[in-house]
Amino acid sequence: MTEQLWWQTGIIYQIYPRSFMDSNADGVGDLPGIRSRLDYIQSLNVQAVWLSPIFPSPMHDFGYDVADYCGIHPLFGTMADFDALLADVHSRGLKLLLDLVPNHTSDEHPWFIESRSSRDNPKRDWYFWRDPAPDGGPPNNWLSTFGGPAWTFDPHTGQYYLHQFVSQQPELNYRNPEVLAAMLDSMRFWLDKGVDGFRVDVIWMMIKDEQLRDEALNSDWDGFNPYDRIQHNYTHNQPEVHDLIREMRKVLDAYDERMMVGEIYLPNDSLMKYYGQDLDECHLPFNFQLILAPWKASVVRKLVDDYEAVLPAGGWPNWVLGNHDQHRLATRVGPAQARVANMLLLTLRGTPTCYYGDEIGMENVAIPPHMIQDPPAVKQPELAHIVGRDPERTPMQWDDSPNAGFAPEGVQTWLPVAPDYKTRNVAAQDADPASMLNYFRALTALRQSEPALITGSYRSVDAGMEDV
Ligand code: NOJ
């Protein structure tokens, strides 16, 4: 048996920094806040912390619109705060992953400011600029995942630019090699500091059809999310994306034991390609099946068996139950089944990723209409209950004090604290041996002490009962 590396034996814990711990009473979580909670993180027996974006950003998509890949947003602290956090994480034997967002920048990034300044600016081609269609409309029929067309007209130069998320997130053009070179430099900046790797945002969308062809209509559209009215054959999973990922991997491989986990929502056959033909792409292509499938034993059994069957030789599995884009686990499957789901997550073969708060069974929080912040919900209020992501991003529930110990009393938190925080919180669960939190810790401790649960093989066993 070959020796396993930390990202294979360890558990990844995702923190949404805005919502973990507010140290300076502005209602938004920050880096010193996270640092003050490292004892807690360590008590979960996790190995790595992944931080959603902490970079300078106008926050149109809450940090996924990056205005400087090599800085820290003042809301979260300073570079000195970051260095102190990284040092403390490492001194505890833990690892730190950052969120790399290479597909698009903020429209306030200096690259885009240059690019939009004139048609002949040297950075014009770093983004997608196209003339209007003959009727003056967008150049093709592509849609934004957050509603409306994927193109915005810029009167200054009379052309449209492409964005598959909010209009303040212009997409980078990776057919221009200068763009990839610049992004690889940003990776090196953090790797030189000692960061252990990256979760890579929408990695499967990084390159588009060269001719920007119209998408075909989707005959299977369920009538809900307008984005799915069309297929995504020219914007998702283009063959050339693998060349980009191999270049990213080479950068990581020039360092010691760094890794990347790619955000990829694709079916198994396509997903497996993101390990790379010679395992030279993503160390872990995120496997989101447990989030997306109906919560039924027969369905789950089949998806685990199918995934195990198609993993490439040497490809390391991974499993996820929640993240900042999906409704809370305990809301999706109910509080009792949330325990079962965690037992599954923590005993399956492969690296588990846990979303902050799921270890205490946090649920979706109803957001009053005037407090809705998430762009798809703001843009499509009638679909807010389906597409809105605020409900799963609310402040961590630490104790029963006002603001749940996330921020001092009297502070207006950026999203409301869950109404159940007085009973569902870390302090209360810490004291209760039968709590979700202590159950989670018992499972993580068992997993980390039992080699069979880390490097063992897997087979499903027939219980002979319906839905068991
Ligand atoms: C995926 C991220 O997880 C999501 O939160 C974000 O809105 C989009 N990518 C755009 O960056």
Side-chain angles (χ1 to χ4, degrees), residues 61 64 104 146 165 199 201-202 263 324-325 389 393:
D61 188 18
Y64 285 93
H104 42 268
F146 292 163
F165 298 93
R199 172 266 189 188
D201 193 65
V202 294
E263 186 201 19
H324 63 294
D325 295 328
R389 300 168 299 177
R393 297 176 175 179

Side-chain angles (χ1 to χ4, degrees), residues 230-241:
I230 57 170
Q231 298 181 28
H232 307 297
N233 294 328
Y234 296 128
T235 46
H236 292 187
N237 195 29
Q238 300 300 293
E240 301 92 325
V241 76

Side-chain angles (χ1 to χ4, degrees), residues 199 202-204 236-237 262-267 270-271 286-289 291-292 320 322-326:
R199 172 266 189 188
V202 294
I203 200 168
W204 87 111
H236 292 187
N237 195 29
E263 186 201 19
I264 303 160
Y265 285 91
L266 284 175
S270 305
L271 182 68
F286 259 141
N287 168 18
F288 293 126
Q289 296 181 81
I291 297 181
L292 304 173
V320 188
N323 63 36
H324 63 294
D325 295 328
Q326 306 292 340

Side-chain angles (χ1 to χ4, degrees), residues 406-449:
F406 163 76
E409 183 170 7
V411 167
Q412 174 67 58
T413 56
W414 81 285
L415 283 175
V417 174
D420 67 356
Y421 82 89
K422 286 213 155 136
T423 48
R424 184 185 308 285
N425 62 61
V426 169
Q429 294 201 14
D430 221 6
D432 172 5
S435 68
M436 175 90 176
L437 176 59
N438 282 321
Y439 164 88
F440 184 89
R441 285 176 175 147
L443 278 167
T444 53
L446 176 67
R447 180 186 181 92
Q448 298 318 105
S449 64

